[in-house]
Amino acid sequence: MKVLLMLMLASFMTPALAAGNAEAGQQKAAACNACHGATGKASVTLYPNLAGQNADYLQHALQAYKKGERSGGQAEVMKAFVSGLSDEDMADLAAYYQGLKP
């Protein structure tokens, strides 16, 4: 019961992420396509598929890369790619990828 209460409280404390514009995200995804594929499906297993991924997860991941909170794998490469993205850009990209068929 304590765990459930803590999870409920944490959900209220988590900042809400802005809903993005998928059409704008498609326009902004050009640099992402090189690794994650034009349809959000990577042709190389080193890179994750983004098509159909939850938008909140993607936004949090992009923010974590930008802040340097993720490490290992391609984290340094991703940090360089997302360093110039605004919160709106991240929301748009997340909305775009969420809308693609997995």
Side-chain angles (χ1 to χ4, degrees):
M1 187 65 161
K2 287 181 183 180
V3 172
L4 180 60
L5 180 61
M6 289 172 54
L7 288 173
M8 288 174 55
L9 289 173
S11 70
F12 290 116
M13 295 168 47
T14 303
L17 296 176
N21 179 315
E23 286 184 32
Q26 182 177 15
Q27 300 303 313
K28 297 172 184 180
C32 309
N33 294 346
C35 298
H36 298 288
T39 61
K41 296 174 190 138
S43 60
V44 177
T45 58
L46 175 65
Y47 309 114
N49 293 326
L50 301 180
Q53 185 63 262
N54 179 277
D56 286 339
Y57 170 79
L58 288 173
Q59 256 186 287
H60 279 106
L62 291 170
Q63 290 170 347
Y65 282 124
K66 186 173 182 174
K67 295 176 186 174
E69 295 173 350
R70 294 190 92 168
S71 61
Q74 298 292 314
E76 290 303 313
V77 173
M78 283 298 300
K79 184 176 181 182
F81 272 103
V82 302
S83 65
L85 296 178
S86 68
D87 288 342
E88 181 180 346
D89 293 335
M90 292 182 209
D92 292 345
L93 287 165
Y96 169 65
Y97 284 112
Q98 179 175 277
L100 295 177
K101 185 176 180 180

